[in-house]
Amino acid sequence: MKLSIKDIQVNGKEVLMRCDFNVPYNDELQITDDTRIQAALPSIKHLLENGAKLILCSHMGRPAGKPEEKYSLRPVGLRLAELLGTPVAFADDTIGDHATLLRAQLEPGHAVLLENTRFDAKEKANDSDFAKALAGNAEIFVNDAFGTAHRAHASTEGVTHHVSQSAMGFLIESELEFLQDKLRTPAKPFLAIMGGKKVSDKIQVIKAMMDKADEFIIGGAMAYTFLKAQGYKTGMSLVEDDFIPLAKELLETAEQKGIKFHLPADTRITQDFSNDAETRVTKTYADGGEIPDDWEGIDIGDVAIQDFCKVVEGAGTVLWNGPMGVFEMDNFAAGTIALAEAVAKSDALTIVGGGDSVTAANKFCKPSDFSFLSTGGGASLELLEGKELPGVAALSNA
Ligand code: AMP
């Protein structure tokens, strides 16, 4: 068990906290979605209320290791002050003179936000001098940036070597609780719903889940690689040929272990990737039905929707990662909407594993209808694969 933010004494102490403030901006540098700032508020409020001198840091976007105005965290500082209802000082640099000055002036119960850590190439290189300067006089480090916890950077890993105590914030704590602890002994049957574009991104998760899940639903473009692995025609659908051998292996393992592997019995197809394109539904493997040569699968079909929703109804635990089709386009979204609604309605423990499925869950359902929506993309996948996240592993033990 790692040390929790709940277990540290911060009164009057300098605390450096790594957040994930990597929010989207429009062309006028206005924040278009502040979910990530909101997600950091419980930890920030807790530390301020307990009298910490709080220094906040984060990365933003992918600057080329030098300052770029479009990736400045200044708008985040303003939004944060608005949400907290208290001023938040903003340092024009990360470890430079301005940051040093503001840190020295900091009073207990007040916060300063440092400029983008990635304005220095030493951040991603996990340079120890940069990490030491970032730690400065802070005695305590709190990591609450789950979205970057799978990266060993100076502000996520390096900095832990230059403070006396490192703890996880509330956000990381709940991500670990749901994506790791609760899935160790899931209520049965445990259903893993996998979808999205690339098998290559998620095949390791499927492999790891083979030891835990009782049933799998495979949708999205990923399904076509599994259908092709069984010898069915997939037309122009997105298939990752390099992964066909692994898909075959997983299907065989599932059969040996008695794991139910649900693939879409039918699929919605098109010849044109646009919102007013003609679409049809075709069978994928039953009764000799297959996807015609010059058509592409873009969503699961009506029978698959019915089949999949029934499977969701019977589940004790549901992990959902990846949309059933190209849900960003209205006429290819029916499968994802139906699945999202079925998961939302379920009484099971329902965990949505980050990225596009969370976008879909928020778009088509009430977020509170799910037990947990993960805030991570790559970090969620690595955790589900059973990997240790460097930004968590480096924290002090409880
Ligand atoms: P991922 O990042 O792997 O979770 O993939 C998410 C993306 O997969 C979304 O943007 C969907 O539009 C896309 N997607 C889902 N189904 C299909 C499909 N049948 N063909 C192409 N893209 C798909």
Side-chain angles (χ1 to χ4, degrees):
M1 266 297 274
K2 291 296 176 185
L3 191 65
S4 159
I5 187 171
K6 296 194 292 274
D7 305 326
I8 50 175
Q9 297 301 323
V10 298
N11 194 14
K13 293 182 188 169
E14 249 190 55
V15 178
L16 176 73
M17 177 173 162
R18 175 55 156 102
C19 304
D20 180 2
F21 288 150
N22 185 26
V23 294
Y25 289 161
N26 63 16
D27 291 343
E28 279 86 50
L29 301 189
Q30 288 160 335
I31 298 165
T32 53
D33 178 355
D34 69 359
T35 309
R36 286 185 168 149
I37 305 178
Q38 302 259 13
L41 290 178
S43 292
I44 294 175
K45 283 183 180 163
H46 175 84
L47 293 171
L48 291 177
E49 280 160 15
N50 284 282
K53 297 180 185 173
L54 185 58
I55 300 135
L56 302 165
C57 68
S58 172
H59 81 286
M60 147 76 70
R62 294 167 183 235
K66 57 178 175 27
E68 280 178 66
E69 187 55 29
K70 66 175 175 182
Y71 296 123
S72 171
L73 282 173
R74 187 180 290 277
V76 170
L78 295 172
R79 183 84 188 106
L80 186 59
E82 237 171 71
L83 291 168
L84 290 170
T86 161
V88 174
F90 182 72
D92 293 331
D93 48 34
T94 318
I95 54 165
D97 292 346
H98 196 212
T100 309
L101 178 73
L102 293 181
R103 289 175 72 148
Q105 292 172 345
L106 204 52
E107 297 285 336
H110 290 267
V112 56
L113 171 64
L114 307 179
E115 184 54 288
N116 194 341
T117 50
R118 287 194 190 164
F119 280 179
D120 194 320
K122 292 181 184 135
E123 154 74 335
K124 284 171 86 171
N126 197 3
D127 178 272
S128 93
D129 290 337
F130 181 82
K132 192 172 177 202
L134 192 60
N137 294 326
E139 280 177 59
I140 299 173
F141 171 65
V142 172
N143 190 0
D144 213 20
F146 180 70
T148 43
H150 60 314
R151 308 258 180 250
H153 291 167
S155 68
T156 61
E157 198 275 341
V159 77
T160 63
H161 304 293
H162 304 283
V163 293
S164 341
Q165 276 187 316
S166 304
M168 54 186 172
F170 292 119
L171 184 64
I172 288 199
E173 198 169 5
S174 57
E175 293 278 358
L176 296 179
E177 181 192 344
F178 282 92
L179 295 182
Q180 190 174 275
D181 304 346
K182 288 210 193 285
L183 294 185
R184 280 203 186 105
T185 49
K188 302 222 156 220
F190 174 18
L191 166 68
I193 307 173
M194 306 298 294
K197 204 167 190 170
K198 288 190 178 165
V199 185
S200 47
D201 282 351
K202 293 183 191 155
I203 201 124
Q204 296 306 332
V205 176
I206 301 179
K207 228 172 158 178
M209 286 296 144
M210 282 278 172
D211 291 330
K212 294 177 180 165
D214 305 296
E215 297 193 49
F216 282 87
I217 282 177
I218 307 284
M222 193 187 286
Y224 309 114
T225 300
F226 282 93
L227 287 166
K228 195 165 174 187
Q230 289 176 300
Y232 299 108
K233 287 188 181 159
T234 51
M236 302 283 288
S237 310
L238 217 63
V239 166
E240 285 177 271
D241 285 316
D242 290 354
F243 284 85
I244 286 180
L246 199 46
K248 273 188 188 157
E249 200 184 301
L250 290 176
L251 288 164
E252 278 163 22
T253 310
E255 192 165 330
Q256 282 160 13
K257 290 188 157 188
I259 298 170
K260 289 189 197 145
F261 220 86
H262 304 276
L263 288 166
D266 61 354
T267 189
R268 188 163 290 279
I269 53 174
T270 188
Q271 284 185 302
D272 180 16
F273 216 78
S274 78
N275 234 343
D276 41 30
E278 183 203 342
T279 68
R280 285 189 209 163
V281 170
T282 173
K283 286 181 179 163
T284 50
Y285 57 80
D287 307 328
E290 279 173 310
I291 301 174
D293 284 345
D294 45 358
W295 288 70
E296 175 178 1
I298 36 77
D299 193 8
I300 55 173
D302 306 325
V303 175
I305 288 177
Q306 276 182 20
D307 291 348
F308 288 1
C309 288
K310 207 170 277 166
V311 176
V312 172
E313 262 174 45
T317 304
V318 180
L319 171 71
W320 175 30
N321 197 309
M324 296 292 104
V326 186
F327 74 101
E328 297 92 337
M329 298 173 89
D330 288 348
N331 62 338
F332 308 149
T336 303
I337 294 176
L339 249 281
E341 286 173 349
V343 176
K345 219 168 64 190
S346 160
D347 293 328
L349 178 81
T350 52
I351 299 171
V352 189
D356 279 304
S357 347
V358 169
T359 308
N362 282 320
K363 187 170 170 191
F364 306 126
C365 307
K366 272 214 313 264
S368 58
D369 286 341
F370 300 88
S371 310
F372 186 68
L373 302 175
S374 174
T375 57
S380 315
L381 291 177
E382 290 200 15
L383 201 55
L384 292 169
E385 282 168 24
K387 285 189 188 156
E388 204 172 49
L389 308 180
V392 174
L395 301 175
S396 316
N397 290 320

